[in-house]
Amino acid sequence: MNASAPTRTLSTKAPFRWLPTLFLMLLEVAVPDNLVVRKNQHLSNARAKELAASGVRKAVKAHGKDKVANAADVQVRTVEKWMAEASLPSIDNLLNIANLHRGVSDALHQEMGWAGLTPSRANPANDLELAAGLGHSVAELIDRLRDGKRCHVDTAVLAALFRELIPQMQAVVDEDDARRAA
């Protein structure tokens, strides 16, 4: 609790009039002084286009324009417009692309101060994709460690690979935890 904060007392004279005071008291106890809480903010259309384009570009880099277009059920030209920030993908298109490439909406979530999407359960259809991703990540890790060091560039490349796999692996763990709890 902040030592310089004024002491607040609850009054029971008027019903529920003390709720705002109680809320402020709880905030002082629960929120450390060094915590930065992001306030709700307005996301402009231009900023949304920029962030969505960044996510689409990541998906295209990983999978190619054709595969991204197929995932969103649109033409390749539409994907190119999204990448150029000429138009904004609809929410269903973003979600379909996110199903292909998990990092698509990360920038949008971070902009708003939200945590990224994590699958609620493992999808058996993606188990082979997870296995392939793990194999690729291990191969990349071995290749990057050939010189006996891991520099900041190596770390950035590996982090990008691992970031994609962590939610998929967590979904498998969560599925097993739910099965054990049942």
Side-chain angles (χ1 to χ4, degrees):
M1 186 179 296
N2 191 346
S4 63
T7 305
R8 294 186 174 92
T9 57
L10 300 179
S11 168
T12 56
K13 292 180 182 176
F16 305 114
R17 199 176 261 171
W18 48 267
L19 279 175
T21 303
L22 176 63
F23 179 72
L24 290 172
M25 289 170 67
L26 288 172
L27 275 180
E28 286 175 2
V29 171
V31 179
D33 290 335
N34 62 348
L35 180 68
V36 176
V37 179
R38 191 171 217 162
K39 302 209 186 291
N40 289 341
Q41 60 187 31
H42 176 76
L43 182 65
S44 70
N45 187 274
R47 183 70 176 144
K49 280 182 188 177
E50 180 183 329
L51 295 170
S54 170
V56 171
R57 283 191 290 268
K58 287 178 187 175
V60 166
K61 183 177 180 182
H63 303 283
K65 288 180 188 175
D66 289 331
K67 198 165 182 182
V68 171
N70 286 339
D73 197 26
V74 297
Q75 296 178 354
V76 172
R77 180 71 187 126
T78 303
V79 173
E80 291 169 350
K81 286 181 181 180
W82 295 338
M83 291 172 62
E85 300 175 29
S87 65
L88 182 63
S90 63
I91 190 70
D92 60 315
N93 287 331
L94 277 176
L95 291 173
N96 287 327
I97 297 169
N99 198 32
L100 171 68
H101 189 81
R102 299 259 182 249
V104 168
S105 58
D106 287 353
L108 286 162
H109 289 124
Q110 289 170 358
E111 180 78 8
M112 299 308 290
W114 302 339
L117 294 177
T118 302
S120 60
R121 60 184 161 70
N123 183 349
N126 291 332
D127 286 348
L128 289 176
E129 182 182 321
L130 173 59
L134 287 168
H136 176 69
S137 296
V138 168
E140 187 69 29
L141 175 62
I142 291 168
D143 189 47
R144 299 238 167 224
L145 293 177
R146 278 187 196 194
D147 62 358
K149 302 177 210 165
R150 180 170 47 90
C151 70
H152 68 283
V153 174
D154 297 334
T155 300
V157 169
L158 293 169
L161 291 171
F162 297 160
R163 204 171 277 122
E164 292 291 317
L165 298 173
I166 290 170
Q168 294 173 0
M169 291 187 296
Q170 185 62 49
V172 173
V173 171
D174 291 346
E175 182 179 313
D176 184 58
D177 289 347
R179 181 192 57 80
R180 288 175 188 232

